[in-house]
Amino acid sequence: MEKNIEVSLLFDFYGELLKPSGRQAIDLYYNDDLSLAEIAAQTGITRQGVRDSIKRCEQQLFDFEKKLGLFRQFQTLRQGLDEIAVIAQKIKTDSQDNTIKALAQSIEQKAGALKE
């Protein structure tokens, strides 16, 4: 996975654990796509200070994931729900029994709801 996307996703999971100044710098850099100079002008700190803050927060995000694994668990759960929905669709398509089709439809809907 590309680092920018990974940091942005990890920020969604662990952003609230960062200090407010670091959280703001990461948000502006990765989500608002501002340059270091633009962030520095907006926050009143130096460009180098912004860079250091972003690098420090990136490392913290990766450390949080290494220790907690919430994003990895989330990805595994989504993949499992996708697989359940595919299996339910196959059961629904292949079955001649209306009761089984209805149950497969229910499973498919519940898997979709859990993904949201």
Side-chain angles (χ1 to χ4, degrees):
M1 180 181 306
E2 184 183 335
K3 181 183 175 191
N4 288 355
I5 293 170
E6 188 172 10
V7 170
S8 186
L9 290 169
L10 291 175
F11 180 69
D12 289 343
F13 277 83
Y14 303 112
E16 292 299 315
L17 300 175
L18 300 173
K19 291 181 181 178
S21 60
R23 184 171 49 243
Q24 180 186 24
I26 289 280
D27 186 43
L28 293 172
Y29 188 73
Y30 284 102
N31 295 335
D32 294 345
D33 201 28
L34 296 183
S35 69
L36 297 177
E38 291 170 322
I39 297 168
Q42 187 170 332
T43 59
I45 58 176
T46 66
R47 183 187 171 285
Q48 184 63 41
V50 170
R51 183 188 175 286
D52 291 345
S53 179
I54 289 172
K55 291 298 177 189
R56 184 173 42 257
C57 287
E58 286 173 352
Q59 187 58 52
Q60 287 177 324
L61 292 171
F62 286 110
D63 288 346
F64 292 147
E65 176 59 17
K66 185 177 178 181
K67 292 175 183 173
L68 301 173
L70 296 177
F71 179 63
R72 183 179 61 252
Q73 288 176 356
F74 174 77
Q75 286 181 309
T76 302
L77 178 62
R78 283 188 67 96
Q79 182 180 357
L81 290 170
D82 286 341
E83 292 169 8
I84 289 169
V86 167
I87 293 167
Q89 179 63 38
K90 180 156 178 46
I91 291 170
K92 197 169 67 175
T93 302
D94 293 350
S95 178
Q96 301 299 322
D97 185 318
N98 286 334
T99 302
I100 292 175
K101 285 184 177 187
L103 291 171
Q105 176 69 32
S106 177
I107 291 169
E108 191 176 22
Q109 289 173 345
K110 289 186 187 301
L114 287 171
K115 275 183 59 175
E116 294 175 13

